Amino acid sequence: MDMADFTQQMRLKGKAEEDLYFAELDRKLIEALHEKQAQERAQKSKADDEINVGAQGQQK
């Protein structure tokens, strides 16, 4: 293996490590976003339920 091949291999190794790091970071950010969206849906559903219960009480 000559020096150019070694240098290229080191560049590729660094790029692969960087890709893995950012893929993991992206995965964590997407997971956090999904959790936030689920919480917002749950809060909206709860608020809608409270509104519906209030509306049913007024109909009687």
Side-chain angles (χ1 to χ4, degrees):
M1 179 187 296
D2 68 356
M3 194 58 148
D5 288 340
F6 177 75
T7 303
Q8 181 64 15
Q9 288 296 320
M10 294 308 295
R11 265 194 217 115
L12 289 172
K13 180 181 184 290
K15 176 81 170 96
E17 290 171 348
E18 183 179 322
D19 288 348
L20 289 171
Y21 171 80
F22 284 107
E24 178 67 14
L25 182 61
D26 288 347
R27 186 192 64 74
K28 288 179 181 179
L29 289 170
I30 290 168
E31 184 178 310
L33 178 62
H34 287 171
E35 288 176 12
K36 181 180 178 190
Q37 289 173 337
Q39 288 174 349
E40 289 172 350
R41 281 192 303 270
Q43 288 175 348
K44 183 179 182 319
S45 177
K46 183 179 177 183
D48 289 347
D49 288 347
E50 289 173 358
I51 290 170
N52 290 337
V53 167
Q56 288 175 356
Q58 291 175 356
Q59 290 176 354
K60 292 183 179 183

